[in-house]
Amino acid sequence: MYSSEEAQRTLKSRYMTPYHVQAQWAEFANLKRIIGEQYKKSGRPIRIFDIGVGTGRIPLLLSKVATWDKIAEYTGIDISEFCLALSNEVASARRMSGKFKVIFFDATKLATKAAEFLKSVRYDLAVCTYFTAGDFRPEQIKLDVNKDGSIVDYDARLLRPNRDFISVFKGAYDLLEDGGKIVIGSIYYDSDFVRKIQERFYEKCGMHVITTSKDEFTATRERFWSERFDTSKARSYLPWVSQNKIDLIDLDDYDFASMVLVSK
Ligand SMILES: C[S@@+](CC[C@H](N)C(=O)[O-])C[C@H]1O[C@@H](n2cnc3c(N)ncnc32)[C@H](O)[C@@H]1O
C-alpha cells in the first residue's frame, strides 16, 4: 500500500493537514505517558512491539527524550520495503543504543504459526500508531473502479467485523505479558467531517478518491485504503477482550481521532 510515491507522501508532514499533525502529537504525548506508567508498574525498562513501524518515526522521537531510558527493547514490524529501509537506517544510529530492530512481517499473520518465532519475547506494550489500525483491508474488498471512477461493489459484511483487524490485534495480544497493553495510537472517527479531511489529504498527496459518504473507509485509485471507526465498531473489533479492559481516549475536542487502549 505504501509502494507508490503518492502513498508515501501521507507519511510526510508537509502534505499532512493540521488535523493529522495534531493527532500525531496528541498520540505521542499519550504514548509517552503510557510508557512511563508501564515502566513504573513493572519496575524495569519495558519491551515494546510496534505494528507497522513505518519509517521509525516513533522510536526516533522517543530516542530524543528521556523516555528512551525506560525502554529495554523496541521491535517493529512492517511490510513496506520503502519503510523498512528508512527504519533500518534509524535503527543503526548510535543514539538508538542497539535497542531498536525491525522485522519484515505481515501483521495480518500475527495470529498464525508464522508468528511463532516472535513469541520468544513477551512484550509490555504493543503499539500501532498514526491510523495504521485502519490499514488492514480484507482482501475480498477490491479496489477496482467502475467506469464512473467509483469503487466496485463489495460486501459490507466483511467489516462486521473486519477479520484482518482481529487477526492483527489478537496476535499482538498473545505477544503481551499479563498486565501488558495494546495501544492503538489513533483511529479516525467515522463522520462526514473526518471523511472530507481524509479526502482532502489524499488528494493533496496526488491520489484519486474512489469512495463516497456511503463507505466507512476512504480508498483511492492508487490502492490506498483507510477505515474509519465509531466507538461501538472499535469495541466490536476486539471481541476476545472484556469490555471493561477497553478504553477509548479522545485525542482532540472535535471528534477527529481517538486512541484505543486494551489491557491484558
Ligand atoms: C500510516 S503508516 C504509520 C507508520 C508509523 N506507525 C508512524 O506512526 O509513523 C502505516 C504503516 O503500516 C505498515 N503496514 C500496513 N499494513 C501492514 C501489514 N499488514 N503488516 C505490517 N505492516 C503494515 C505500512 O507499510 C506503513 O509503514
Side-chain angles (χ1 to χ4, degrees):
M1 178 156 130
Y2 289 85
S3 52
S4 74
E5 198 183 320
E6 290 86 355
Q8 288 163 13
R9 288 181 186 145
T10 63
L11 305 175
K12 295 182 180 161
S13 48
R14 68 174 181 279
Y15 288 95
M16 286 175 201
T17 71
Y19 292 97
H20 288 85
V21 173
Q22 291 182 36
Q24 280 196 336
W25 285 111
E27 173 186 73
F28 189 63
N30 276 287
L31 180 60
K32 280 191 298 182
R33 176 179 56 74
I34 295 161
I35 291 171
E37 287 166 3
Q38 282 303 109
Y39 169 74
K40 212 162 167 187
K41 196 166 89 179
S42 60
R44 55 164 174 75
I46 63 167
R47 292 182 289 271
I48 300 182
F49 185 75
D50 188 330
I51 302 159
V53 67
T55 58
R57 181 182 66 89
I58 293 285
L60 182 61
L61 284 173
L62 290 170
S63 75
K64 292 180 180 177
V65 289
T67 311
W68 198 238
D69 300 334
K70 298 177 183 170
I71 298 170
E73 184 185 324
Y74 195 109
T75 300
I77 59 164
D78 210 288
I79 38 161
S80 153
E81 296 287 358
F82 164 80
C83 289
L84 281 168
L86 293 172
S87 250
N88 267 317
E89 263 177 48
V90 170
S92 58
R94 194 134 60 99
R95 69 173 337 132
M96 308 305 282
S97 318
K99 292 190 213 174
F100 173 40
K101 70 167 188 244
V102 285
I103 303 171
F104 181 91
F105 192 81
D106 181 347
T108 63
K109 305 279 183 300
L110 277 175
T112 70
K113 282 215 172 87
E116 281 302 312
F117 77 101
L118 293 168
K119 293 194 175 152
S120 55
V121 177
R122 292 284 153 173
Y123 294 90
D124 302 286
L125 290 181
V127 308
C128 185
T129 56
Y130 186 43
F131 306 108
T132 302
D135 279 6
F136 305 115
R137 173 174 61 90
E139 65 177 24
Q140 299 95 320
I141 299 182
K142 304 288 179 209
L143 297 184
D144 301 330
V145 287
N146 298 308
K147 279 206 181 98
D148 64 358
S150 61
I151 188 168
V152 292
D153 280 349
Y154 59 88
D155 185 349
R157 285 173 303 181
L158 292 163
L159 301 175
R160 305 274 176 279
N162 176 341
R163 304 225 161 265
D164 282 40
F165 181 104
I166 293 181
S167 302
V168 171
F169 292 103
K170 175 70 173 80
Y173 186 87
D174 291 342
L175 293 178
L176 290 177
E177 295 272 15
D178 286 339
K181 283 186 192 325
I182 298 179
V183 185
I184 301 180
S186 45
I187 52 173
Y188 290 115
Y189 271 106
D190 191 15
S191 69
D192 262 8
F193 166 69
V194 174
R195 176 180 60 80
K196 285 177 189 158
I197 294 168
Q198 281 184 291
E199 289 178 356
R200 211 164 67 215
F201 176 36
Y202 304 146
E203 281 163 6
K204 189 174 171 196
C205 292
M207 295 194 267
H208 301 81
V209 173
I210 58 175
T211 40
T212 66
S213 58
K214 291 202 300 282
D215 306 295
E216 54 199 273
F217 54 86
T218 298
T220 71
R221 212 163 69 195
E222 294 71 21
R223 314 197 72 72
F224 197 84
W225 195 81
S226 186
E227 189 173 357
R228 292 180 295 276
F229 300 81
D230 59 26
T231 306
S232 63
K233 184 196 214 183
R235 289 182 173 276
S236 74
Y237 278 18
L238 299 161
W240 71 96
V241 185
S242 325
Q243 289 298 315
N244 63 354
K245 297 278 189 184
I246 304 172
D247 285 310
L248 272 90
I249 301 168
D250 286 337
L251 293 180
D252 52 63
D253 58 341
Y254 38 76
D255 291 349
F256 180 72
S258 63
M259 174 176 269
V260 183
L261 263 184
V262 176
S263 304
K264 183 166 175 178

